[in-house]
Amino acid sequence: MGNEDRKLQQSASNLEKSLLRLEEALHENQNNSLIVDGTIQRFEFTIELYWKTLKRLLQVEGIVAKTPKETLKEAYQVGWLENEKAWLQMLRDRNETSHTYNEELAIQIVENIQGYFPEMKKTFFDLREKGKL
């Protein structure tokens, strides 16, 4: 197994663990500000792992993407993401939460994350089924 294959396997493993941790957070009572903050942190981490894993997968296919947005757009173009609009909104939400803290925004983002999570999970399993992960 080559170094790139090992890196890809590690990325997939880390992404799977991150999704499980995010799912765990989403099952907690979101009335607690610590839970809200933790859920957002797990979301940020998961989105980061997602785009970096997709970037690595694209490189294997000979496609170069430099930014998270480019990576998501290219992944959509090759058919790995079903809902480009949702993924780009996830990225915007991740960017907003990582640069400022606003309690109302945080609560709205957690509600958004609950809506995004099925797409995130489905995409992971679709990629695995296609033999990409």
Side-chain angles (χ1 to χ4, degrees):
M1 178 184 294
N3 192 36
E4 276 306 306
D5 289 337
R6 270 195 294 283
K7 285 182 180 180
L8 191 52
Q9 278 191 333
Q10 188 62 52
S11 291
S13 175
N14 289 342
L15 179 56
E16 184 173 28
K17 289 174 191 168
S18 179
L19 282 166
L20 289 171
R21 298 289 309 270
L22 178 57
E23 186 171 35
E24 177 184 79
L26 289 170
H27 288 300
E28 293 295 322
N29 182 345
Q30 298 295 329
N31 292 326
N32 180 323
S33 64
L34 287 173
I35 300 296
V36 168
D37 295 351
T39 301
I40 289 171
Q41 183 66 46
R42 288 179 181 190
F43 171 71
E44 290 172 355
F45 190 69
T46 303
I47 290 296
E48 198 72 15
L49 285 170
Y50 241 119
W51 87 260
K52 288 179 179 179
T53 300
L54 289 168
K55 181 180 178 181
R56 186 166 279 143
L57 287 168
L58 288 166
Q59 286 173 333
V60 168
E61 302 287 328
I63 301 168
V64 177
K66 295 180 178 135
T67 66
K69 188 175 182 177
E70 276 181 41
T71 300
L72 294 177
K73 286 182 166 289
E74 290 292 342
Y76 175 74
Q77 289 298 315
V78 297
W80 297 342
L81 303 178
E82 285 185 16
N83 188 340
E84 181 184 32
K85 185 178 175 185
W87 281 97
L88 292 174
Q89 185 60 50
M90 287 182 223
L91 188 60
R92 282 190 292 275
D93 283 356
R94 194 272 285 155
N95 290 341
E96 279 195 54
T97 60
S98 63
H99 297 299
T100 186
Y101 188 80
N102 171 316
E103 192 169 349
E104 285 180 28
L105 177 62
I107 291 166
Q108 179 60 55
I109 298 285
V110 167
E111 288 175 12
N112 292 353
I113 294 167
Q114 290 168 336
Y116 300 148
F117 188 75
E119 180 77 17
M120 297 170 85
K121 195 171 179 178
K122 181 182 182 317
T123 298
F124 180 83
F125 288 110
D126 286 351
L127 287 169
R128 180 173 276 169
E129 191 175 293
K130 291 175 183 177
K132 300 298 178 188
L133 296 179

